[in-house]
Amino acid sequence: MSLKLTDAETDALAELFNVGLHRAAASLSEVTGQRIIVDMPKLVICEISEIEQRLADLVGGEIATVHQMFGGSVAGDAVLLLEQDKAAALARLMTGGEAATGGRLDQSAREVLTEIGNIVLGACLSGFGDMLQLPVSFSVPRIHIESLRTILGSLLVETGETQYAVIVATQFRLAALAVDGYLIIALGAKSLGRISDALRSRIP
Amino acid sequence: MNDRRYGVADDMLRSAAMSDLGALLDVGVLTVDADMVVTGWNDWLERASGRSRREVVGRSIRDVHPPLRHAAIAAIERAVGGSVVVMSQAFHECLIEVRPPAGYEHMARMQQSVRILPLTGEGTKPLGAVAFIQDVTERVSREAELKAAVEAAEAANAAKSSFFTAMSHELRTPIGAVAGYADLLATGVFGPIGEQQLDPLLRIKSVTSHLQSIVNEILALARVSAHREEVELCEVDAVALAEEALVAVEPLAAQKGLEVRRRFSSTPLRLHTDNVKVRQILINLLGNAIKFTERGSIELEVALTNEGRHVAYVVSDTGPGIARNDLSRIFEPFTRVTSRGSPNPGSGIGLALSRELARLLGGDITVTSDVGQGSRFTAVLPR
């Protein structure tokens, strides 16, 4: 089964993520007491086997990811992906230098990134619940520091149905720092189909 | 339809299992119902707060003493609404304000890391929430000590760098004057110089020139350590750079009767880097190889590595080698290891400076060696 979203549906989905990311930026600003801006996201939908090729030019080395599984009307895996050194810089700036001393992702920094990931992933995927009436519930978030290949390998599951990935590229900006962040929503054809149906019914 | 649902079923909580689990994992377990009334308060919370289960269960979470933080109540409300919430210590410090554990009385309160999950029953509407509270005071205290140590080390390093810079300038000016006056004397500006005076004058010139090069190295190392060295990137040919460096050191090798081997083809190899710094690194590594090798050969190899993403320059020699337990020290400035046993040991700055420069360019220098086995220095630089 091959599934393609029309341009209008892809635009609508990008807008949903944009709303979610702005909500996340507002929450992060509140938590950190700093002004945090999130750029308008760029969105790509591909088969899951293509993710590595699409991300290889954008990220390299060790990667920090926050991973949450989600279930309900649509089900899959949601991952926030940051380059490790950028993740450390982000944690350090957001905590006013309290975490990630000397650029190390210490336990406090990992916890901070877990909370950031939880806020970002929650805000984005709750958008489906609120606007598309596709409520989802989440697992507890987990942080991993690994290579891109290992992380993507953990998303490949044998389910019998084609697995897709929605890649959402954005930038978190605070102070003088701009950090590229990627959200990967891995989900099966049925779940993506449900999102596509819900989008279609709401596009005039 | 894949109907995965996350959260904790409330019937689990009714069982003693949850309380046992809390005790086993040494975490606080707090549960509330959909109206934010406390339904569970485990032994851990009794101990930490000094409030018994009886005093707390049945009260609104807003009336609990010691009080929950405002952000904690908001987080529990979000969990009751169906979200999974993480409260990291660095952002929130704690969920509930209780005394720090024994031995950490210098901290104002216990530092906590918290996960809050919605409680789900058979339906989709959450029935409440459960918070798992972990005491991370010890870890936070340890990280604070580490941070203080890192900051102290950085401050000491900055002080050292500024000392080096000031010292080097103070040294360079008088050395320059000595060299200049020696030159003027030798050219006869201050009167005729006889054969007997000329030889010592030339020695003064030679020694001051050596001293100048050492001071310049110290200054360069201080600049790199103080992050004041700038990188000027350009497209260069990695092979041509290798050849230039070899041409510069070949006379030294010839003086000692050492064979110079090249292990690279003449095909150009594109490299995006700061050519001045790479040349400095190569001349340093090759110069060291010649300095410490009394007989045999030195060799320079140029190769691609890391699937073509890096260029590796490998400088090998047939010198005395370096004892294994000295290998970790040789990149420290002013370190001269005895196993290399050279009569002309130099300042011990060259290797430290070369590695700092390589790291500044995004690469690194590594070494493999052992006594009697020669040495092999590899500078890897990103393309």
Side-chain angles (χ1 to χ4, degrees):
Chain A
M1 174 181 170
S2 176
L3 202 149
K4 266 207 147 180
L5 263 62
T6 64
D7 287 349
E9 286 164 13
T10 307
D11 283 351
L13 194 58
E15 190 52 42
L16 269 185
F17 277 106
N18 193 28
V19 171
L21 285 169
H22 276 88
R23 267 195 217 165
S27 300
L28 289 172
S29 298
E30 196 181 318
V31 167
T32 61
Q34 299 187 61
R35 184 173 150 79
I36 293 164
I37 300 167
V38 182
D39 280 1
M40 177 74 190
K42 292 190 186 70
L43 194 133
V44 173
I45 301 172
C46 61
E47 287 200 18
I48 206 151
S49 52
E50 298 169 34
I51 315 182
E52 186 176 354
Q53 183 196 339
R54 290 192 184 253
L55 285 177
D57 290 340
L58 303 172
V59 290
E62 291 279 281
I63 309 283
T65 59
V66 180
H67 182 183
Q68 275 187 285
M69 291 186 284
F70 59 94
S73 316
V74 291
D77 293 89
V79 178
L80 172 68
L81 190 148
L82 302 161
E83 280 185 320
Q84 194 188 341
D85 53 341
K86 298 284 174 56
L90 193 67
R92 194 166 56 247
L93 269 181
M94 282 195 177
T95 56
E98 287 302 310
T101 307
R104 283 172 59 252
L105 279 182
D106 56 23
Q107 198 54 39
S108 281
R110 286 170 188 241
E111 216 176 70
V112 159
L113 289 172
T114 309
E115 181 165 353
I116 294 170
N118 178 242
I119 288 171
V120 171
L121 297 172
C124 286
L125 288 176
S126 300
F128 294 122
D130 296 349
M131 297 201 185
L132 299 181
Q133 322 248 289
L134 295 171
V136 290
S137 52
F138 291 96
S139 71
V140 179
R142 298 191 60 149
I143 186 162
H144 301 279
I145 316 285
E146 276 163 333
S147 70
L148 180 65
R149 178 164 291 184
T150 313
I151 282 155
L152 296 179
S154 69
L155 296 180
L156 293 172
V157 284
E158 286 295 325
T159 58
E161 65 170 349
T162 313
Q163 294 286 307
Y164 289 89
V166 180
I167 304 173
V168 184
T170 185
Q171 261 195 343
F172 299 91
R173 285 190 280 137
L174 76 158
L177 184 76
V179 173
D180 290 323
Y182 301 90
L183 258 65
I184 300 170
I185 315 294
L187 69 192
K190 276 186 204 154
S191 288
L192 188 59
R194 264 188 208 113
I195 292 171
S196 165
D197 291 346
L199 286 168
R200 205 171 304 130
S201 69
R202 276 162 185 76
I203 295 171
Chain B
M1 170 173 161
N2 184 347
D3 192 13
R4 283 194 279 179
R5 186 177 293 128
Y6 300 96
V8 179
D10 69 331
D11 54 352
M12 262 182 82
L13 282 165
R14 290 202 195 96
S15 71
M18 185 61 80
S19 183
D20 285 350
L21 190 64
L24 185 71
L25 299 175
D26 196 20
V27 294
V29 182
L30 164 68
T31 55
V32 296
D33 66 14
D35 297 321
M36 302 286 282
V37 170
V38 178
T39 54
W41 187 262
N42 76 340
D43 296 348
W44 187 99
L45 278 168
E46 283 196 334
R47 276 199 312 278
S49 69
R51 299 281 164 179
S52 72
R53 203 169 281 125
R54 222 154 23 110
E55 288 174 275
V56 181
V57 169
R59 284 173 176 271
S60 162
I61 194 78
R62 295 177 185 86
D63 299 333
V64 168
H65 285 278
L68 267 71
R69 293 240 150 157
H70 175 70
I73 293 174
I76 295 173
E77 276 172 347
R78 282 207 304 284
V80 169
S83 301
V84 169
V85 185
V86 174
M87 288 183 69
S88 60
Q89 177 277 334
F91 284 152
H92 308 279
E93 207 179 345
C94 64
L95 176 131
I96 184 165
E97 303 211 23
V98 297
R99 282 196 310 276
Y104 296 92
E105 287 78 8
H106 60 285
M107 319 262 298
R109 53 188 74 84
M110 181 198 279
Q111 304 297 300
Q112 299 159 359
S113 164
V114 184
R115 303 282 185 277
I116 312 173
L117 279 68
L119 288 171
T120 56
E122 287 304 309
T124 50
K125 196 171 172 295
L127 302 170
V130 54
F132 296 97
I133 307 150
Q134 194 185 356
D135 175 5
V136 294
T137 313
E138 186 186 341
R139 187 197 84 205
V140 171
S141 167
R142 206 172 52 236
E143 282 175 356
E145 281 168 19
L146 189 68
K147 183 169 174 265
V150 168
E151 281 170 357
E154 278 172 358
N157 208 23
K160 194 177 71 187
S161 289
S162 73
F163 172 74
F164 275 150
T165 311
M167 277 298 290
S168 301
H169 281 298
E170 293 295 320
L171 287 169
R172 272 219 296 201
T173 316
I175 295 170
V178 172
Y181 278 109
D183 256 343
L184 291 173
L185 278 171
T187 49
V189 170
F190 299 116
I193 296 291
E195 277 292 313
Q196 275 186 309
Q197 288 95 31
L198 195 59
D199 184 52
L201 264 180
L202 291 178
R203 280 172 194 265
I204 291 175
K205 275 184 69 179
S206 156
V207 171
T208 42
S209 137
H210 180 59
L211 205 52
Q212 269 174 328
S213 68
I214 290 176
V215 170
N216 285 341
E217 278 189 341
I218 294 176
L219 201 59
L221 183 64
R223 265 202 315 273
V224 177
S225 305
H227 308 293
R228 283 198 219 123
E229 186 71 36
E230 286 180 8
V231 173
E232 284 180 35
L233 295 174
C234 58
E235 288 289 327
V236 292
D237 174 12
V239 172
L241 266 179
E243 191 55 48
E244 279 175 39
L246 280 172
V247 167
V249 300
E250 259 170 338
L252 288 172
Q255 273 176 18
K256 294 181 82 173
L258 299 173
E259 185 190 349
V260 175
R261 295 184 179 168
R262 289 165 167 75
R263 273 189 65 185
F264 48 86
S265 72
S266 55
T267 316
L269 213 54
R270 185 186 51 77
L271 180 61
H272 190 67
T273 194
D274 184 326
N275 59 338
V276 175
K277 295 190 173 56
V278 176
R279 195 178 297 121
Q280 196 174 352
I281 292 169
L282 292 178
I283 290 177
N284 240 321
L285 293 179
L286 290 165
N288 266 350
I290 294 166
K291 195 192 295 177
F292 292 105
T293 305
E294 291 310 312
R295 64 184 67 83
S297 62
I298 63 152
E299 179 182 286
L300 176 60
E301 179 185 352
V302 186
L304 284 178
T305 178
N306 292 340
E307 295 168 347
R309 293 197 300 272
H310 290 79
V311 167
Y313 288 103
V314 186
V315 176
S316 329
D317 63 52
T318 55
I322 306 159
R324 280 194 187 170
N325 51 3
D326 283 333
L327 283 178
S328 59
R329 296 195 298 122
I330 57 163
F331 289 107
E332 289 168 21
F334 309 108
T335 298
R336 286 171 297 163
V337 296
T338 48
S339 56
R340 291 188 101 174
S342 163
N344 179 18
S347 61
I349 296 171
L351 269 182
L353 177 62
S354 297
R355 189 169 71 168
E356 290 296 329
L357 289 175
R359 288 183 173 177
L360 189 67
L361 299 176
D364 206 353
I365 298 182
T366 52
V367 59
T368 52
S369 182
D370 208 343
V371 175
Q373 303 294 309
S375 302
R376 185 180 159 87
F377 286 85
T378 306
V380 174
L381 299 165
R383 294 183 75 199

